[in-house]
Amino acid sequence: MNTWAIRQVAEKIKASTRVVVLTGAGISQESGVPTFRGADGLWKNFRAEDLATPEAFDRDPLLVWQWYDWRRSLIKLLKPNAGHYALVELEKKAEDFTLITQNVDGLHKAAGSRNPIEMHGTLWRVRCLQCKKSFENKEVPIQIPPKCTTCGGLLRPDVVWFGEALDEKILHAIYTCLQRVEVMLIVGTSAIVQPAASFGLVAKRAGAFVTELNRSRTAQSSLFDCSIQGKAGELLPQLVEHIGP
Ligand code: APR
């Protein structure tokens, strides 16, 4: 069943020039990164309101930094998996390729993806609340609370928290490519958090062939042209193999 569906998607990709891939926590699951809403999901054990909102950071920056430091230390030891590498290969095959990720773990870049749009920011940058500059920072453990080397202000993780707006330029770039895309893959996301949860529907409405690759069905599975259940680290390499050289 999967093989037939994968072949169909491979044919669509071969016949098109513009491909967009949206990824979520599921693509990094096989690397050992906890997802947010799975059985071992972070939001099963922690409350997002305490750790991933601007209010939580105002209330208790030390607690929030301890949580981010824990995630950074965990992820620093992990490596990209076959799913991340398959997307690097897909990027080489497609004439016009855009990778959008909700993940902040940096594993797409570590695998060699050239210019992923990290729409929720990255764990490996920090931003000063005072002078607003942002810097790469890969220190593990990070000194808590981290201070800006330019102005001494308090640094925060350069990620997008619940209740925060996404960067306008990034959103503009995403919606522009969703209007033009011919084939879209949605990989390993529960499709619950907006605005990413609507990207597949926007692309479909604009005429794209949209495929979901996920270990389980999601609330949106029946809305797409194709929904394939399985592990990203197995399905994506198969897809790339079917596309051929
Ligand atoms: N292969 C494919 N899919 C998988 C795998 C796997 N190996 N493992 C898990 N999945 C799927 C799950 O079935 C689920 O649908 O990945 C999805 C993970 O969903 P979430 O944990 O909700 O992650 P995501 O959709 O990326 O969350 C969106 O929520 O808290 C915020 O900012 C955070 O970017 C995150 C956003």
Side-chain angles (χ1 to χ4, degrees), residues 53-54 56-58 60-66 68-69 72 122-139 142-159 161 164:
T53 64
F57 193 71
D58 282 348
D60 197 344
L62 298 190
L63 175 76
V64 172
W65 262 118
Q66 278 159 4
Y68 276 90
D69 189 42
R72 284 160 55 111
T122 168
L123 289 176
W124 308 112
R125 290 186 76 80
V126 292
R127 189 165 84 233
C128 178
L129 290 183
Q130 204 164 287
C131 71
K132 313 292 179 211
K133 285 192 188 130
S134 76
F135 312 86
E136 184 179 90
N137 180 308
K138 294 189 167 172
E139 252 172 75
I142 194 165
Q143 199 182 343
I144 297 177
K147 294 285 174 62
C148 178
T149 47
T150 310
C151 75
L154 178 63
L155 295 172
R156 59 163 278 176
D158 199 4
V159 298
W161 281 324
E164 292 188 311

Short mmCIF file of all heavy atoms in Angstrom, two decimals, residues 53-54 56-58 60-66 68-69 72 122-139 142-159 161 164:
data_model
loop_
_atom_site.label_atom_id
_atom_site.label_comp_id
_atom_site.label_asym_id
_atom_site.label_seq_id
_atom_site.Cartn_x
_atom_site.Cartn_y
_atom_site.Cartn_z
N THR A 53 6.17 30.71 26.99
CA THR A 53 5.40 31.93 26.71
C THR A 53 6.24 33.12 27.19
O THR A 53 7.07 32.97 28.11
CB THR A 53 4.06 31.96 27.47
OG1 THR A 53 4.34 31.99 28.88
CG2 THR A 53 3.16 30.77 27.16
N PRO A 54 6.01 34.31 26.62
CA PRO A 54 6.74 35.49 27.11
C PRO A 54 6.42 35.78 28.57
O PRO A 54 7.29 36.22 29.34
CB PRO A 54 6.26 36.62 26.20
CG PRO A 54 5.24 36.07 25.29
CD PRO A 54 5.17 34.59 25.45
N ALA A 56 5.81 33.55 30.92
CA ALA A 56 6.60 32.62 31.74
C ALA A 56 8.02 33.15 31.90
O ALA A 56 8.60 33.09 33.00
CB ALA A 56 6.62 31.23 31.11
N PHE A 57 8.57 33.69 30.81
CA PHE A 57 9.95 34.21 30.88
C PHE A 57 10.03 35.44 31.77
O PHE A 57 10.97 35.60 32.54
CB PHE A 57 10.47 34.51 29.47
CG PHE A 57 11.96 34.74 29.42
CD1 PHE A 57 12.84 33.68 29.60
CD2 PHE A 57 12.47 36.01 29.21
CE1 PHE A 57 14.22 33.89 29.57
CE2 PHE A 57 13.84 36.22 29.18
CZ PHE A 57 14.72 35.16 29.35
N ASP A 58 9.02 36.32 31.68
CA ASP A 58 9.00 37.51 32.55
C ASP A 58 8.95 37.08 34.01
O ASP A 58 9.60 37.66 34.87
CB ASP A 58 7.73 38.35 32.29
CG ASP A 58 7.89 39.17 31.03
OD1 ASP A 58 9.02 39.26 30.52
OD2 ASP A 58 6.86 39.69 30.54
N ASP A 60 9.75 34.05 35.44
CA ASP A 60 10.83 33.22 35.98
C ASP A 60 11.84 32.86 34.88
O ASP A 60 11.88 31.72 34.41
CB ASP A 60 10.21 31.95 36.61
CG ASP A 60 11.18 31.25 37.53
OD1 ASP A 60 12.40 31.55 37.45
OD2 ASP A 60 10.74 30.39 38.31
N PRO A 61 12.70 33.83 34.51
CA PRO A 61 13.64 33.55 33.42
C PRO A 61 14.61 32.40 33.75
O PRO A 61 15.03 31.67 32.86
CB PRO A 61 14.41 34.86 33.24
CG PRO A 61 14.07 35.72 34.41
CD PRO A 61 12.79 35.22 34.99
N LEU A 62 14.92 32.23 35.04
CA LEU A 62 15.86 31.16 35.40
C LEU A 62 15.26 29.79 35.10
O LEU A 62 15.91 28.91 34.53
CB LEU A 62 16.26 31.24 36.88
CG LEU A 62 16.98 32.51 37.31
CD1 LEU A 62 17.54 32.35 38.73
CD2 LEU A 62 18.11 32.85 36.36
N LEU A 63 13.98 29.62 35.48
CA LEU A 63 13.31 28.34 35.22
C LEU A 63 13.25 28.06 33.71
O LEU A 63 13.56 26.96 33.25
CB LEU A 63 11.89 28.38 35.80
CG LEU A 63 11.06 27.14 35.49
CD1 LEU A 63 11.49 25.97 36.38
CD2 LEU A 63 9.56 27.41 35.68
N VAL A 64 12.87 29.08 32.95
CA VAL A 64 12.75 28.90 31.50
C VAL A 64 14.12 28.55 30.91
O VAL A 64 14.26 27.61 30.12
CB VAL A 64 12.15 30.15 30.83
CG1 VAL A 64 12.19 30.04 29.31
CG2 VAL A 64 10.71 30.36 31.31
N TRP A 65 15.17 29.26 31.38
CA TRP A 65 16.50 28.96 30.86
C TRP A 65 16.97 27.56 31.26
O TRP A 65 17.65 26.87 30.49
CB TRP A 65 17.52 30.02 31.30
CG TRP A 65 17.73 31.04 30.21
CD1 TRP A 65 17.48 32.37 30.24
CD2 TRP A 65 18.22 30.76 28.88
NE1 TRP A 65 17.77 32.95 29.03
CE2 TRP A 65 18.24 31.98 28.18
CE3 TRP A 65 18.65 29.61 28.21
CZ2 TRP A 65 18.66 32.06 26.85
CZ3 TRP A 65 19.06 29.70 26.88
CH2 TRP A 65 19.07 30.92 26.22
N GLN A 66 16.60 27.13 32.48
CA GLN A 66 17.00 25.77 32.88
C GLN A 66 16.39 24.74 31.94
O GLN A 66 17.03 23.77 31.55
CB GLN A 66 16.57 25.47 34.32
CG GLN A 66 17.54 26.05 35.33
CD GLN A 66 16.90 26.23 36.69
OE1 GLN A 66 15.76 25.86 36.91
NE2 GLN A 66 17.65 26.83 37.60
N TYR A 68 15.42 25.26 28.76
CA TYR A 68 16.07 25.35 27.45
C TYR A 68 17.47 24.77 27.50
O TYR A 68 17.94 24.12 26.55
CB TYR A 68 16.05 26.79 26.92
CG TYR A 68 14.74 27.05 26.22
CD1 TYR A 68 13.65 27.56 26.93
CD2 TYR A 68 14.55 26.72 24.89
CE1 TYR A 68 12.42 27.72 26.31
CE2 TYR A 68 13.33 26.89 24.26
CZ TYR A 68 12.27 27.39 24.98
OH TYR A 68 11.06 27.54 24.36
N ASP A 69 18.17 24.97 28.62
CA ASP A 69 19.52 24.42 28.74
C ASP A 69 19.47 22.89 28.71
O ASP A 69 20.29 22.24 28.07
CB ASP A 69 20.14 24.91 30.06
CG ASP A 69 21.62 24.56 30.14
OD1 ASP A 69 22.33 24.72 29.13
OD2 ASP A 69 22.06 24.11 31.22
N ARG A 72 18.85 21.91 25.11
CA ARG A 72 20.07 22.11 24.31
C ARG A 72 21.08 21.01 24.60
O ARG A 72 21.73 20.49 23.69
CB ARG A 72 20.66 23.49 24.60
CG ARG A 72 19.90 24.63 23.93
CD ARG A 72 20.18 25.98 24.59
NE ARG A 72 21.56 26.34 24.67
CZ ARG A 72 22.15 27.34 23.98
NH1 ARG A 72 21.44 28.06 23.13
NH2 ARG A 72 23.42 27.62 24.15
N THR A 122 15.37 29.06 16.50
CA THR A 122 16.30 27.96 16.75
C THR A 122 16.82 28.02 18.18
O THR A 122 16.97 29.10 18.76
CB THR A 122 17.48 27.99 15.75
OG1 THR A 122 18.49 27.07 16.21
CG2 THR A 122 18.10 29.37 15.61
N LEU A 123 17.08 26.83 18.72
CA LEU A 123 17.63 26.74 20.08
C LEU A 123 19.04 27.30 20.13
O LEU A 123 19.56 27.57 21.21
CB LEU A 123 17.72 25.27 20.51
CG LEU A 123 16.45 24.52 20.81
CD1 LEU A 123 16.77 23.06 21.12
CD2 LEU A 123 15.75 25.16 22.01
N TRP A 124 19.67 27.42 18.95
CA TRP A 124 21.10 27.75 18.91
C TRP A 124 21.36 29.23 18.67
O TRP A 124 22.46 29.62 18.31
CB TRP A 124 21.81 26.86 17.89
CG TRP A 124 21.49 25.43 18.16
CD1 TRP A 124 20.74 24.58 17.40
CD2 TRP A 124 21.84 24.68 19.34
NE1 TRP A 124 20.61 23.36 18.02
CE2 TRP A 124 21.28 23.39 19.21
CE3 TRP A 124 22.58 24.98 20.51
CZ2 TRP A 124 21.43 22.41 20.18
CZ3 TRP A 124 22.73 24.00 21.47
CH2 TRP A 124 22.16 22.73 21.31
N ARG A 125 20.32 30.05 18.86
CA ARG A 125 20.50 31.51 18.84
C ARG A 125 19.87 32.08 20.10
O ARG A 125 18.92 31.51 20.64
CB ARG A 125 19.83 32.16 17.62
CG ARG A 125 20.50 31.87 16.31
CD ARG A 125 19.89 32.66 15.16
NE ARG A 125 20.31 34.05 15.18
CZ ARG A 125 21.47 34.47 14.71
NH1 ARG A 125 22.32 33.63 14.15
NH2 ARG A 125 21.80 35.74 14.77
N VAL A 126 20.40 33.20 20.54
CA VAL A 126 19.83 33.91 21.69
C VAL A 126 19.58 35.35 21.26
O VAL A 126 20.20 35.82 20.30
CB VAL A 126 20.81 33.89 22.90
CG1 VAL A 126 20.95 32.49 23.46
CG2 VAL A 126 22.16 34.46 22.52
N ARG A 127 18.67 36.02 21.97
CA ARG A 127 18.32 37.40 21.58
C ARG A 127 18.29 38.26 22.82
O ARG A 127 17.77 37.84 23.87
CB ARG A 127 16.96 37.37 20.90
CG ARG A 127 16.57 38.68 20.26
CD ARG A 127 15.41 38.50 19.31
NE ARG A 127 14.13 38.54 19.99
CZ ARG A 127 13.19 37.62 19.89
NH1 ARG A 127 13.41 36.51 19.18
NH2 ARG A 127 12.05 37.75 20.53
N CYS A 128 18.85 39.48 22.71
CA CYS A 128 18.92 40.37 23.88
C CYS A 128 17.61 41.14 24.02
O CYS A 128 17.12 41.75 23.07
CB CYS A 128 20.08 41.34 23.72
SG CYS A 128 20.19 42.50 25.10
N LEU A 129 17.06 41.11 25.23
CA LEU A 129 15.79 41.82 25.46
C LEU A 129 16.00 43.33 25.43
O LEU A 129 15.08 44.09 25.15
CB LEU A 129 15.23 41.44 26.83
CG LEU A 129 14.70 40.02 27.00
CD1 LEU A 129 14.13 39.83 28.39
CD2 LEU A 129 13.65 39.70 25.94
N GLN A 130 17.26 43.76 25.71
CA GLN A 130 17.53 45.19 25.78
C GLN A 130 17.91 45.78 24.43
O GLN A 130 17.22 46.64 23.92
CB GLN A 130 18.66 45.41 26.78
CG GLN A 130 18.69 46.80 27.40
CD GLN A 130 19.58 46.77 28.63
OE1 GLN A 130 19.22 46.21 29.67
NE2 GLN A 130 20.77 47.33 28.49
N CYS A 131 18.99 45.27 23.81
CA CYS A 131 19.44 45.87 22.54
C CYS A 131 18.86 45.16 21.32
O CYS A 131 19.07 45.59 20.19
CB CYS A 131 20.96 45.92 22.47
SG CYS A 131 21.76 44.33 22.27
N LYS A 132 18.11 44.04 21.56
CA LYS A 132 17.37 43.33 20.50
C LYS A 132 18.26 42.56 19.52
O LYS A 132 17.75 41.98 18.56
CB LYS A 132 16.45 44.28 19.67
CG LYS A 132 15.59 45.21 20.49
CD LYS A 132 14.54 44.48 21.26
CE LYS A 132 13.69 45.43 22.11
NZ LYS A 132 13.18 44.85 23.33
N LYS A 133 19.59 42.61 19.73
CA LYS A 133 20.47 41.86 18.80
C LYS A 133 20.32 40.38 19.05
O LYS A 133 20.08 39.96 20.19
CB LYS A 133 21.93 42.25 19.03
CG LYS A 133 22.27 43.60 18.48
CD LYS A 133 23.78 43.80 18.48
CE LYS A 133 24.10 45.24 18.10
NZ LYS A 133 25.02 45.88 19.00
N SER A 134 20.52 39.59 17.99
CA SER A 134 20.51 38.15 18.22
C SER A 134 21.86 37.56 17.81
O SER A 134 22.54 38.09 16.93
CB SER A 134 19.33 37.48 17.52
OG SER A 134 19.59 37.37 16.16
N PHE A 135 22.27 36.52 18.50
CA PHE A 135 23.60 35.93 18.31
C PHE A 135 23.49 34.43 18.27
O PHE A 135 22.66 33.85 18.97
CB PHE A 135 24.51 36.20 19.53
CG PHE A 135 24.53 37.58 20.03
CD1 PHE A 135 23.58 38.04 20.95
CD2 PHE A 135 25.53 38.45 19.61
CE1 PHE A 135 23.62 39.33 21.42
CE2 PHE A 135 25.57 39.74 20.09
CZ PHE A 135 24.61 40.19 21.00
N GLU A 136 24.41 33.81 17.52
CA GLU A 136 24.52 32.35 17.61
C GLU A 136 25.12 32.02 18.98
O GLU A 136 25.99 32.73 19.47
CB GLU A 136 25.45 31.83 16.50
CG GLU A 136 25.52 30.33 16.49
CD GLU A 136 26.42 29.79 15.39
OE1 GLU A 136 27.62 29.63 15.65
OE2 GLU A 136 25.91 29.54 14.29
N ASN A 137 24.61 30.98 19.61
CA ASN A 137 25.16 30.55 20.90
C ASN A 137 24.95 29.04 21.05
O ASN A 137 23.82 28.57 21.11
CB ASN A 137 24.48 31.30 22.05
CG ASN A 137 25.03 30.88 23.39
OD1 ASN A 137 25.11 29.70 23.70
ND2 ASN A 137 25.44 31.85 24.19
N LYS A 138 26.07 28.30 21.07
CA LYS A 138 25.96 26.84 21.14
C LYS A 138 26.54 26.29 22.45
O LYS A 138 26.80 25.10 22.58
CB LYS A 138 26.66 26.20 19.94
CG LYS A 138 25.95 26.54 18.64
CD LYS A 138 26.47 25.77 17.47
CE LYS A 138 25.51 25.93 16.30
NZ LYS A 138 26.00 25.39 15.06
N GLU A 139 26.75 27.21 23.42
CA GLU A 139 27.32 26.80 24.72
C GLU A 139 26.41 25.82 25.45
O GLU A 139 25.22 26.10 25.63
CB GLU A 139 27.33 28.03 25.62
CG GLU A 139 28.63 28.65 25.92
CD GLU A 139 28.35 29.95 26.66
OE1 GLU A 139 28.00 29.89 27.85
OE2 GLU A 139 28.43 31.02 26.01
N ILE A 142 24.75 26.42 29.19
CA ILE A 142 24.84 27.88 29.05
C ILE A 142 24.86 28.48 30.45
O ILE A 142 24.28 27.91 31.38
CB ILE A 142 23.65 28.42 28.21
CG1 ILE A 142 23.90 29.85 27.75
CG2 ILE A 142 22.33 28.29 28.96
CD1 ILE A 142 22.95 30.31 26.63
N GLN A 143 25.57 29.59 30.60
CA GLN A 143 25.59 30.22 31.93
C GLN A 143 24.25 30.90 32.19
O GLN A 143 23.81 31.71 31.38
CB GLN A 143 26.70 31.25 31.98
CG GLN A 143 27.07 31.58 33.40
CD GLN A 143 28.15 32.64 33.45
OE1 GLN A 143 28.84 32.90 32.47
NE2 GLN A 143 28.29 33.25 34.61
N ILE A 144 23.60 30.52 33.28
CA ILE A 144 22.23 31.01 33.54
C ILE A 144 22.23 32.03 34.67
O ILE A 144 22.79 31.76 35.72
CB ILE A 144 21.32 29.82 33.93
CG1 ILE A 144 21.21 28.84 32.75
CG2 ILE A 144 19.94 30.31 34.33
CD1 ILE A 144 20.40 27.60 33.03
N PRO A 145 21.61 33.21 34.45
CA PRO A 145 20.98 33.68 33.22
C PRO A 145 22.03 34.26 32.27
O PRO A 145 22.90 35.01 32.71
CB PRO A 145 20.04 34.78 33.73
CG PRO A 145 20.74 35.35 34.93
CD PRO A 145 21.51 34.21 35.54
N PRO A 146 21.95 33.95 30.98
CA PRO A 146 22.94 34.49 30.05
C PRO A 146 22.74 35.99 29.83
O PRO A 146 21.61 36.47 29.80
CB PRO A 146 22.67 33.70 28.77
CG PRO A 146 21.29 33.19 28.88
CD PRO A 146 20.94 33.09 30.34
N LYS A 147 23.87 36.70 29.72
CA LYS A 147 23.81 38.16 29.53
C LYS A 147 24.45 38.55 28.20
O LYS A 147 25.40 37.91 27.77
CB LYS A 147 24.55 38.86 30.68
CG LYS A 147 23.88 38.67 32.06
CD LYS A 147 22.65 39.54 32.16
CE LYS A 147 21.81 39.33 33.40
NZ LYS A 147 22.46 39.62 34.65
N CYS A 148 23.92 39.62 27.62
CA CYS A 148 24.40 40.11 26.33
C CYS A 148 25.83 40.65 26.47
O CYS A 148 26.09 41.46 27.37
CB CYS A 148 23.47 41.23 25.85
SG CYS A 148 23.95 41.98 24.30
N THR A 149 26.73 40.22 25.58
CA THR A 149 28.11 40.69 25.68
C THR A 149 28.24 42.13 25.19
O THR A 149 29.21 42.81 25.48
CB THR A 149 29.06 39.79 24.85
OG1 THR A 149 28.45 39.60 23.57
CG2 THR A 149 29.29 38.45 25.52
N THR A 150 27.25 42.61 24.44
CA THR A 150 27.31 44.00 23.94
C THR A 150 26.79 44.98 24.99
O THR A 150 27.42 45.98 25.28
CB THR A 150 26.45 44.14 22.65
OG1 THR A 150 26.82 43.11 21.76
CG2 THR A 150 26.62 45.48 22.00
N CYS A 151 25.61 44.69 25.57
CA CYS A 151 25.01 45.71 26.46
C CYS A 151 24.72 45.20 27.87
O CYS A 151 24.25 45.97 28.70
CB CYS A 151 23.72 46.25 25.81
SG CYS A 151 22.36 45.09 25.93
N GLY A 152 24.94 43.93 28.10
CA GLY A 152 24.71 43.40 29.47
C GLY A 152 23.26 43.03 29.74
O GLY A 152 22.92 42.56 30.83
N GLY A 153 22.38 43.20 28.74
CA GLY A 153 20.96 42.87 28.93
C GLY A 153 20.73 41.37 29.05
O GLY A 153 21.61 40.56 28.73
N LEU A 154 19.53 41.03 29.50
CA LEU A 154 19.17 39.61 29.64
C LEU A 154 18.92 39.01 28.26
O LEU A 154 18.21 39.59 27.44
CB LEU A 154 17.91 39.50 30.52
CG LEU A 154 17.34 38.09 30.74
CD1 LEU A 154 18.34 37.20 31.49
CD2 LEU A 154 16.02 38.17 31.52
N LEU A 155 19.49 37.82 28.03
CA LEU A 155 19.26 37.13 26.75
C LEU A 155 18.11 36.14 26.90
O LEU A 155 17.94 35.55 27.97
CB LEU A 155 20.53 36.35 26.35
CG LEU A 155 21.77 37.18 26.03
CD1 LEU A 155 22.98 36.25 25.84
CD2 LEU A 155 21.56 38.04 24.79
N ARG A 156 17.38 35.93 25.84
CA ARG A 156 16.32 34.91 25.81
C ARG A 156 16.60 33.97 24.63
O ARG A 156 17.32 34.34 23.70
CB ARG A 156 14.94 35.55 25.66
CG ARG A 156 14.77 36.38 24.41
CD ARG A 156 13.31 36.66 24.06
NE ARG A 156 12.72 35.52 23.35
CZ ARG A 156 11.46 35.43 22.98
NH1 ARG A 156 10.63 36.42 23.24
NH2 ARG A 156 11.00 34.38 22.34
N PRO A 157 16.02 32.78 24.66
CA PRO A 157 16.16 31.91 23.48
C PRO A 157 15.52 32.60 22.27
O PRO A 157 14.46 33.22 22.41
CB PRO A 157 15.37 30.66 23.87
CG PRO A 157 15.24 30.70 25.36
CD PRO A 157 15.22 32.14 25.74
N ASP A 158 16.15 32.49 21.09
CA ASP A 158 15.60 33.14 19.89
C ASP A 158 14.62 32.19 19.20
O ASP A 158 14.84 31.72 18.09
CB ASP A 158 16.74 33.54 18.95
CG ASP A 158 16.31 34.60 17.95
OD1 ASP A 158 15.15 35.08 18.05
OD2 ASP A 158 17.11 34.94 17.07
N VAL A 159 13.55 31.90 19.94
CA VAL A 159 12.51 31.01 19.43
C VAL A 159 11.18 31.75 19.52
O VAL A 159 11.08 32.77 20.22
CB VAL A 159 12.42 29.69 20.24
CG1 VAL A 159 13.71 28.89 20.16
CG2 VAL A 159 12.05 29.97 21.69
N TRP A 161 7.58 31.82 20.94
CA TRP A 161 6.79 31.19 22.00
C TRP A 161 5.29 31.31 21.71
O TRP A 161 4.87 32.11 20.86
CB TRP A 161 7.11 31.88 23.34
CG TRP A 161 8.41 31.42 23.95
CD1 TRP A 161 8.94 30.16 23.91
CD2 TRP A 161 9.33 32.21 24.71
NE1 TRP A 161 10.14 30.12 24.59
CE2 TRP A 161 10.39 31.35 25.09
CE3 TRP A 161 9.37 33.56 25.11
CZ2 TRP A 161 11.47 31.80 25.86
CZ3 TRP A 161 10.44 33.99 25.87
CH2 TRP A 161 11.47 33.13 26.25
N GLU A 164 3.21 34.57 20.62
CA GLU A 164 4.06 35.54 19.93
C GLU A 164 3.81 35.46 18.43
O GLU A 164 3.50 34.39 17.88
CB GLU A 164 5.53 35.26 20.21
CG GLU A 164 5.91 35.53 21.65
CD GLU A 164 7.39 35.44 21.89
OE1 GLU A 164 8.01 34.45 21.47
OE2 GLU A 164 7.93 36.36 22.53
#
